[in-house]
């Protein structure tokens, strides 16, 4: 377990160092206005693209529960990944004129590039989930590092060639398809018998985990509608730094989720849950310490003096995502238990409606909203699990909301 956590954590820091170099290059090249537009598209791409995490979670759960026939199930899941990727790619191409207007971006062809990215993300999700299910976390970690390395190299190249926002978005496609080819060769078993999938159960699990991706980037999707162009870019820079906490939490949950599934009917799940809670609070404390000591220096080194005003937002934004980190943990454990379905979706609905309906007077009121609404739902989630953990009889307690 320690080896698995160490490998994904090391890869996480490597990936995020490259990620922030990536955003540093982009923000300096595009300026606040261009970077703000890029972040709207990038957040949209990753929010909807994170639906691929549904397939990944479903795949892990399916492969763990059918380990003896894992290759037959892998082939079937690959086919599902291709079909879903094509459907979502077609949909975003069809809706590109409307999305251009709704998200206040300048070119509709950006969404054709996003379509290509989504196709690759669905296919790659299956290959990586196979690595998780068989415990190959070092290779899983290497694949993430490889993807971000190729993305950075491609982004720098296209910017030097004069391609702006569209070129930078394309760099994600380059990284994804390079890693996809690599993992197809590593996982092999491309041909052979396929297993019959329980589609009904897969859809049920997918519906449980689907809110996770929508929670992560919700605050960035609407910034061009809420703030002026310059303020949107400033908030985006603080947000992308703060999301390092979310990405690290999701990375660690990738290690813990197979444990939640395997031990869902025993008291061991409580131990793993509490370990993850401790890690989340440790992550928050360490991040605040870094902000207090060298945060401003690092931030300005990444984004430059044009983004200096955003330094004020950092400690507040970092604190605001703490309840969201716990929310992602709750969603993960509820997915393993297959409980709490309606509560998760009610939370997501309330969260998005707030961004659309409420009027925000400043960035700080926007950040306060993120903190308060997620904190309220954290208390509700905790209440639902409390009785389970106190009695230690997971299979005898119905915690549906």
């Amino acid at each position: 377990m320690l080896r698995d956590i160490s490998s994904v954590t090391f890869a996480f820091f490597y990936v995020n160092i490259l990620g922030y170099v990536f955003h540093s290059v982009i923000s300096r090249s595009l300026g606040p206005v261009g970077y703000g537009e890029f972040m709207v598209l990038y957040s949209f791409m990753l929010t909807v693209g994170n639906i691929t995490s549904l397939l990944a979670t479903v795949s892990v759960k399916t492969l763990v529960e059918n380990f003896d026939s894992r290759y037959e199930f892998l082939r079937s899941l690959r086919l599902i990944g291709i079909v879903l990727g094509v459907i979502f790619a077609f949909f975003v191409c069809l809706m590109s004129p409307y999305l251009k207007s709704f998200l206040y971006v300048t070119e509709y062809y950006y969404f054709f590039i996003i379509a290509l990215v989504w196709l690759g993300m669905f296919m790659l999700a299956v290959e990586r989930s196979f690595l998780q299910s068989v415990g190959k976390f070092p290779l899983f970690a290497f694949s993430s590092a490889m993807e971000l390395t190729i993305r950075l190299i491609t982004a720098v190249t296209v910017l030097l060639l004069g391609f702006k926002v569209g070129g930078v978005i394309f760099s994600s496609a380059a990284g994804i398809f390079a890693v996809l080819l690599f993992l197809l060769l590593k996982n092999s078993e491309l041909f052979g018998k396929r297993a019959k999938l329980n589609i009904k159960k897969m859809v049920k699990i997918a519906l449980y985990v689907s809110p996770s991706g929508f929670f992560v980037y919700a605050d960035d999707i609407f910034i061009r509608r809420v703030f002026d162009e310059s303020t949107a870019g400033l908030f985006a820079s603080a947000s992308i730094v703060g999301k390092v906490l979310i990405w690290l939490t999701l990375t660690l949950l990738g290690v813990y989720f197979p444990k939640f599934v395997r031990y869902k009917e025993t008291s061991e799940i409580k131990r793993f849950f509490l370990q993850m809670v401790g890690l989340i609070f440790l992550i928050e404390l360490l991040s605040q310490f870094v902000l207090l000591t060298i945060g401003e220096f690092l931030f300005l080194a990444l984004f430059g003096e044009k983004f200096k005003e955003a330094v004020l937002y950092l400690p507040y934004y970092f604190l605001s995502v703490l309840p969201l980190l716990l929310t992602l943990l709750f969603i993960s454990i509820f997915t393993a238990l297959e409980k709490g379905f309606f509560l998760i979706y009610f939370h997501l609905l309330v969260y998005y409606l707030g961004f659309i309906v409420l009027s925000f007077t400043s960035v700080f009121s926007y950040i306060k909203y993120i903190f308060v609404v997620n904190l309220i739902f954290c208390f509700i989630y905790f209440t639902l699990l409390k009785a389970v953990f106190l009695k230690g009889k997971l299979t005898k307690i119905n915690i549906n909301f």
Side-chain angles (χ1 to χ4, degrees), residues 23-39 159 164-165 224 229-234 236-237 303-304 306-307:
H23 283 277
S24 176
V25 171
I26 295 168
S27 62
R28 290 171 182 271
S29 299
L30 302 179
V33 173
Y35 183 68
E37 180 177 32
F38 164 74
M39 279 303 298
L159 284 171
K164 299 294 184 180
V165 175
R224 298 263 292 197
E229 293 178 341
S230 181
T231 303
L234 293 171
S237 64
F303 292 98
K306 292 180 181 179
F307 290 82

Side-chain angles (χ1 to χ4, degrees), residues 62-129:
T62 300
L63 291 165
V64 169
E65 293 174 345
N66 301 276
F67 195 77
D68 292 338
S69 305
R70 58 192 178 277
Y71 289 112
E72 288 86 346
F73 279 92
L74 172 62
R75 296 186 194 103
S76 298
L77 289 167
R78 280 170 171 163
L79 181 59
I80 294 291
I82 293 171
V83 171
L84 289 175
V86 169
I87 290 172
F88 275 84
F90 175 77
F91 175 78
V92 75
C93 290
L94 186 66
M95 296 295 291
S96 58
Y98 171 76
L99 290 169
K100 173 182 177 294
S101 175
F102 181 75
L103 296 177
Y104 286 68
V105 296
T106 55
E107 302 290 344
Y108 70 84
Y109 79 84
Y110 295 152
F111 298 99
F112 288 89
I113 303 173
I114 289 174
L116 181 64
V117 172
W118 285 357
L119 175 61
M121 288 176 76
F122 273 101
M123 297 171 67
L124 185 57
V126 174
E127 302 305 320
R128 282 182 169 153
S129 66

Side-chain angles (χ1 to χ4, degrees), residues 9 12-13 242-253 275-291 318 321-322 325:
T9 302
F12 170 83
F13 283 110
K243 281 182 173 52
V244 68
L245 308 186
I246 300 174
W247 298 330
L248 179 54
T249 298
L250 289 172
T251 300
L252 295 176
L253 282 173
Q275 284 180 9
M276 194 63 213
V277 170
L279 286 172
I280 286 173
F281 278 96
L282 180 61
I283 289 167
E284 178 67 33
L285 288 173
L286 289 176
S287 67
Q288 291 289 352
F289 175 76
V290 171
L291 283 179
F318 271 53
V321 299
L322 176 58
L325 305 183

Side-chain angles (χ1 to χ4, degrees), residues 334-359:
F334 279 139
T335 301
L337 297 172
E338 299 181 28
K339 306 290 184 180
F341 179 81
F342 293 107
L343 174 59
I344 296 170
Y345 275 88
F346 180 65
H347 181 185
L348 182 65
L349 176 63
V350 170
Y351 196 43
Y352 268 73
L353 280 176
F355 287 120
I356 296 170
V357 174
L358 296 179
S359 297

Side-chain angles (χ1 to χ4, degrees), residues 39-322:
M39 279 303 298
V40 168
L41 290 162
Y42 188 68
S43 299
F44 172 75
M45 181 182 78
L46 294 183
T47 297
V48 182
N50 268 329
I51 293 176
T52 59
S53 68
L54 314 183
L55 181 59
T57 303
V58 167
S59 299
V60 170
K61 200 167 189 295
T62 300
L63 291 165
V64 169
E65 293 174 345
N66 301 276
F67 195 77
D68 292 338
S69 305
R70 58 192 178 277
Y71 289 112
E72 288 86 346
F73 279 92
L74 172 62
R75 296 186 194 103
S76 298
L77 289 167
R78 280 170 171 163
L79 181 59
I80 294 291
I82 293 171
V83 171
L84 289 175
V86 169
I87 290 172
F88 275 84
F90 175 77
F91 175 78
V92 75
C93 290
L94 186 66
M95 296 295 291
S96 58
Y98 171 76
L99 290 169
K100 173 182 177 294
S101 175
F102 181 75
L103 296 177
Y104 286 68
V105 296
T106 55
E107 302 290 344
Y108 70 84
Y109 79 84
Y110 295 152
F111 298 99
F112 288 89
I113 303 173
I114 289 174
L116 181 64
V117 172
W118 285 357
L119 175 61
M121 288 176 76
F122 273 101
M123 297 171 67
L124 185 57
V126 174
E127 302 305 320
R128 282 182 169 153
S129 66
F130 180 75
L131 299 179
Q132 289 177 271
S133 66
V134 298
K136 293 184 178 180
F137 287 101
L139 183 56
F140 176 87
F142 175 77
S143 73
S144 298
M146 179 182 175
E147 179 186 342
L148 268 292
T149 302
I150 294 171
R151 187 185 74 170
L152 176 60
I153 293 171
T154 305
V156 171
T157 302
V158 295
L159 284 171
L160 289 174
L161 292 174
F163 297 98
K164 299 294 184 180
V165 175
V168 176
I169 297 172
F170 175 77
S171 69
S172 294
I176 287 169
F177 278 96
V179 174
L180 175 61
L181 177 61
F182 171 73
L183 289 186
L184 283 171
L185 294 173
K186 281 290 183 180
N187 292 337
S188 63
E189 297 293 336
L190 296 173
F191 305 102
K193 184 180 177 181
R194 294 199 304 269
K196 184 178 180 181
L197 297 171
N198 186 336
I199 300 299
K200 183 178 179 181
K201 185 175 182 180
M202 289 175 63
V203 170
K204 182 180 179 182
I205 300 304
L207 289 173
Y208 268 99
V209 75
S210 61
S212 296
F214 287 97
F215 278 114
V216 174
Y217 293 97
D219 57 349
D220 284 321
I221 291 178
F222 302 102
I223 54 176
R224 298 263 292 197
R225 294 175 62 87
V226 175
F227 305 118
D228 63 79
E229 293 178 341
S230 181
T231 303
L234 293 171
F235 176 84
S237 64
S239 170
I240 201 66
V241 172
K243 281 182 173 52
V244 68
L245 308 186
I246 300 174
W247 298 330
L248 179 54
T249 298
L250 289 172
T251 300
L252 295 176
L253 282 173
V255 176
Y256 274 89
F257 180 71
K259 304 294 184 184
F260 293 158
V261 174
R262 187 169 287 116
Y263 298 105
K264 64 183 179 181
E265 296 182 357
T266 74
S267 60
E268 283 292 290
I269 195 171
K270 175 183 176 180
R271 179 168 64 88
F272 290 119
F273 172 78
L274 292 176
Q275 284 180 9
M276 194 63 213
V277 170
L279 286 172
I280 286 173
F281 278 96
L282 180 61
I283 289 167
E284 178 67 33
L285 288 173
L286 289 176
S287 67
Q288 291 289 352
F289 175 76
V290 171
L291 283 179
L292 184 64
T293 53
I294 57 174
E296 181 175 353
F297 169 77
L298 291 177
F299 184 82
L300 294 180
L302 286 171
F303 292 98
E305 290 293 328
K306 292 180 181 179
F307 290 82
K308 187 172 184 178
E309 186 180 341
V311 172
L312 298 174
Y313 308 148
L314 288 173
Y316 300 100
Y317 187 83
F318 271 53
L319 181 60
S320 75
V321 299
L322 176 58

